[in-house]
């Protein structure tokens, strides 16, 4: 009976592999992707920084422009600045979440400065991947012009440069322009049970 089960499994896997190999033969194009990580669930920035790690491993020069979070001492910022400063440029443009700064004009100025830096990094021929962390928050509050951002990504971004934009409430225009969109769905979060943000998990 075990022999029959194994044989059926092997035959099923053989058929799946044949179908997948045939499908992969049609996937030949390469391009720099516009990727959006959004949704109310945890993991948007974490996934973006996971791709930064992949870029470093593949010796792909990369950059991070962090919006909104400001002077948070996050593990990824410390890790990249202290150990991989040559491989990954790290810029912080925000001064903290909007309810902390309570100064819309300063928030707008910080976001626009961050967008200027982002454009410079995306256009730099040495950089192959740019993570725009929490830029969706700046777009949501109209600190940045969504049409300007989308137009730049579609018409000025170099063809082979990858850009990942994270943050809740991605605007429809950005979702439409993107090549890949992932929505993180909140099912459970310890914050609801009174557990604060912890090092290594949120920071």
């Amino acid at each position: 009976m075990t022999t029959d089960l194994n044989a059926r499994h092997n035959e099923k896997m053989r058929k799946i592999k044949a179908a997948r190999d045939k499908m992969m033969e049609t996937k030949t194009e390469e391009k720099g992707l516009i990727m959006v990580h959004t949704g109310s669930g945890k993991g948007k920035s974490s996934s973006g920084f996971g791709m930064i790690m992949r870029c470093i491993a593949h010796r792909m020069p990369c950059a991070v422009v962090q919006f909104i979070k400001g002077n948070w001492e996050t593990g990824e910022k410390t890790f990249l600045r202290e150990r991989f400063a040559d491989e990954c440029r790290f810029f912080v443009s925000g001064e903290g979440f909007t309810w902390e700064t309570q100064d819309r004009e300063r928030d707008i100025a910080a976001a626009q400065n961050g967008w200027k830096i982002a454009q410079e990094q995306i256009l730099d021929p040495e950089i192959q991947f740019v993570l725009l962390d929490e830029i969706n928050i700046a777009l949501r509050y109209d600190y940045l012009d969504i049409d300007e951002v989308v137009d730049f990504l579609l018409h000025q971004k170099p063809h082979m440069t990858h850009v990942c934009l994270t943050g809740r409430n991605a605007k429809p225009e950005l979702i439409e322009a993107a090549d890949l969109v992932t929505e993180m769905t909140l099912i459970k979060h310890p914050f609801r049970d009174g557990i604060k943000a912890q090092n290594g998990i949120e920071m």
Side-chain angles (χ1 to χ4, degrees):
M1 187 172 180
T2 301
T3 302
D4 290 344
L5 183 62
N6 288 341
R8 288 197 300 271
H9 174 80
N10 291 344
E11 178 62 16
K12 181 179 179 181
M13 293 302 106
R14 186 191 66 76
K15 289 180 179 178
I16 290 174
K17 183 180 185 314
R20 184 162 182 81
D21 289 347
K22 185 175 181 180
M23 178 188 69
M24 293 302 293
E25 289 175 0
T26 67
K27 312 299 181 186
T28 58
E29 185 179 354
E30 288 188 36
K31 62 172 288 192
L33 300 177
I34 301 169
M35 296 164 280
V36 175
H37 295 173
T38 192
S40 59
K42 176 176 164 45
K44 299 176 288 293
S45 295
S46 301
S47 179
F49 281 105
M51 286 191 283
I52 289 288
M53 296 300 106
R54 290 176 179 170
C55 289
I56 291 172
H58 287 291
R59 294 180 170 80
M60 296 169 57
C62 51
V64 176
V65 183
Q66 200 161 54
F67 294 78
I68 306 298
K69 287 179 179 173
N71 293 321
W72 274 28
E73 289 306 316
T74 61
E76 56 266 22
K77 180 169 70 174
T78 300
F79 180 73
L80 291 170
R81 282 184 167 173
E82 290 184 359
R83 302 193 186 189
F84 293 100
D86 292 337
E87 294 85 353
C88 180
R89 304 170 185 172
F90 203 113
F91 304 90
V92 176
S93 72
E95 297 185 65
F97 286 98
T98 52
W99 58 84
E100 294 174 341
T101 62
Q102 300 180 22
D103 189 329
R104 179 176 168 80
E105 289 187 3
R106 274 172 53 195
D107 290 340
I108 291 172
Q112 291 180 347
N113 182 59
W115 176 235
K116 179 182 177 183
I117 295 169
Q119 292 177 86
E120 292 169 352
Q121 297 308 304
I122 293 168
L123 292 174
D124 189 328
E126 292 186 7
I127 299 297
Q128 298 179 42
F129 180 99
V130 180
L131 173 60
L132 305 181
D133 188 38
E134 300 290 3
I135 191 174
N136 288 339
I137 306 298
L139 289 166
R140 174 189 180 188
Y141 288 114
D142 297 320
Y143 298 165
L144 301 173
D145 186 318
I146 183 62
D147 293 330
E148 177 187 340
V149 171
V150 168
D151 183 74
F152 177 85
L153 293 172
L154 290 177
H155 300 116
Q156 296 186 55
K157 180 186 75 65
H159 181 67
M160 290 305 297
T161 301
H162 303 291
V163 180
C164 179
L165 307 92
T166 75
R168 296 181 179 215
N169 302 112
K171 290 208 168 185
E173 298 94 327
L174 183 60
I175 291 173
E176 178 65 25
D179 299 291
L180 186 157
V181 179
T182 299
E183 182 174 12
M184 311 294 185
T185 302
L186 175 63
I187 297 175
K188 292 180 72 174
H189 197 292
F191 187 77
R192 291 178 170 178
D193 295 325
I195 300 172
K196 66 180 183 179
Q198 300 177 80
N199 290 340
I201 307 301
E202 281 88 11
M203 298 180 292

